[in-house]
Amino acid sequence: MKKLDSNKLTPEQQNMFNDELTYLATVSKDGTPQVGPKASLIAINDHQLQYLEKTKSTAYQNIKDGSKVAVVAANVPSHKAVRAVGTAEIHENDEFAKAIVENSDTPDAYVVVINVEQVNG
């Protein structure tokens, strides 16, 4: 993937995040990497991604501890991929989260919004 001079997702990149299985990477306070799928992740605009944090496990704790995040979406048949790096905000029980989770299948989830700072595609 080449580094782009942008923190904005193109429409094609947004579609990749919306259509492909994505993987989120974080790092713990002691430097241990963590990566896992986030099937609920979507692009909500050209500079933000969002997913429902259902497990509230390792990635959740790493984000709470201030970890930067990287998200990758890849289409295997075409060999196309996009990676976004940014800072995540967890919305727990605020009005923003309530409005989203009440329309989901997981009413006890938290909403995580990733503010994209760098795009590689």
Side-chain angles (χ1 to χ4, degrees):
M1 281 185 255
K2 63 181 179 175
K3 183 177 177 181
L4 305 177
D5 292 328
S6 177
N7 63 349
K8 301 217 184 258
L9 300 165
T10 66
E12 180 183 21
Q13 291 166 334
Q14 291 177 53
N15 288 340
M16 284 193 70
F17 282 115
N18 293 341
D19 298 340
E20 307 296 339
L21 179 60
T22 57
Y23 288 84
L24 175 83
T26 61
V27 64
S28 69
K29 284 183 179 180
D30 71 1
T32 304
Q34 185 277 339
V35 65
K38 294 297 177 191
S40 65
L41 190 134
I42 59 169
I44 56 175
N45 56 46
D46 66 359
H47 60 279
Q48 290 181 312
L49 305 170
Q50 172 186 292
Y51 75 92
L52 296 178
E53 179 54 64
K54 301 171 187 178
T55 65
K56 302 177 188 112
S57 188
T58 307
Y60 169 75
Q61 188 59 53
N62 290 347
I63 291 169
K64 284 189 75 97
D65 290 340
S67 174
K68 289 278 202 178
V69 300
V71 184
V72 172
N75 179 281
V76 175
S78 71
H79 297 276
K80 289 186 178 183
V82 62
R83 177 178 58 208
V85 177
T87 303
E89 304 171 38
I90 300 172
H91 293 268
E92 300 176 17
N93 305 317
D94 61 14
E95 292 304 312
F96 180 76
K98 289 177 186 174
I100 292 171
V101 297
E102 73 182 20
N103 295 317
S104 77
D105 295 336
T106 315
D108 61 336
Y110 296 146
V111 177
V112 178
V113 175
I114 300 166
N115 296 302
V116 175
E117 298 166 1
Q118 179 183 354
V119 178
N120 302 82

